[in-house]
Amino acid sequence: MKHRVACAWMVVLVSLLLVLTLAGCGSQNPFVVLDWAGYEQEVFWQQFKEQHPDITPEYVFFADDAEAFAKLQSGFVADLVHPNSSWLELLVDSDLIQPVDTAKLSNWPGVMESLAKVGELDGKQYLVPWEWGYYSITVRTDKVQEVPDSWADLWDPQYAGHVSIYDSAEPAVLMAATVLGFDPWNLSEEQLEAVKQKLIELKPNLLGYWTDYTEINQQIASGEVWLGANTWPDCYVAVKAEGLLVEYITPQEGRLGWVYGYAIPTSAENPDLAHDYMDALLDVNSMAEMANQYGYGAASSAVVALTDPELVRLLNLDQPDLFLTTIFMKSLTEEQRQTWTTLWDEVKAAP
């Protein structure tokens, strides 16, 4: 009888240990990164791989910032997200991202202070900047009689039918406001109407609105588009690589600028891994790989020494007043974003 009882208890103990073991094996939630396609390359997170050889990030891609915001707002669970800094205030106000503990990032001291400030709100670091770049005009110099040197030149009739502009409200409104001499972040009702009319006046020059970087790259390469408006530096890099005559100009009013980085959603189930992953991205070699692949600027000035000299020239990385002469996008309130989006929709719908 005692033997049977002992055996019974042994079976219970073994079963309990098995359950606990299985539970332990499955306790690690997937490490999920909500990102743009192309950023999943292992070369970008090599340090993370060395630190966590048994963990492979799971990537979910989005097409634009609005989609990423909608995913998080709908309850999508992710450990990291890769937004534009202009969405920072809305993400924080919607309680969709949490502060980052920069003390956990060994590579944080290398981040330029001017870019780190872009990711701050109310004295807390919510966004870890990784890459930055421009919106400017990519020109097929062999197709035009005059190479533009101003945003206002997009309206010049000599380019009629050969201009394509990025289908995005933020850079479009920012560009038109700059041409009109307005403060984009404090537009009155009358100024908003003037911006709308200015953008409508551009329509006779437009071949269309581009939505995907591969689309505008192909259009410029084919010669359909002579002026690609609000294009990113990688457009120039891609078309130039095909041996075509192309320039990425610096308008006299200044290039428009953007900053992207990584943030930890409030839904994150692996915040410690999220910090480790961001730290890996901030490694100088990781950022140098990104800069040379895409033609973007990196969050650390130390990357300049590892960047292709042609890209240093393209991005004006050797100019000390770089961040003073660039019109960087600022975080928009929900009301501003909705106003700009509605304005842009009305522009596109106008005859």
Side-chain angles (χ1 to χ4, degrees), residues 253-274:
E253 303 90 345
R255 288 172 175 170
L256 310 183
W258 49 261
V259 177
Y260 271 86
Y262 286 83
I264 304 176
T266 50
S267 64
E269 296 179 335
N270 301 287
D272 288 337
L273 291 178

Side-chain angles (χ1 to χ4, degrees), residues 228-267:
N230 292 342
T231 45
W232 309 313
D234 58 322
C235 178
Y236 166 84
V237 173
V239 179
K240 178 86 170 175
E242 296 191 32
L244 299 170
L245 295 176
V246 63
E247 188 56 76
Y248 192 69
I249 73 165
T250 301
Q252 60 188 22
E253 303 90 345
R255 288 172 175 170
L256 310 183
W258 49 261
V259 177
Y260 271 86
Y262 286 83
I264 304 176
T266 50
S267 64

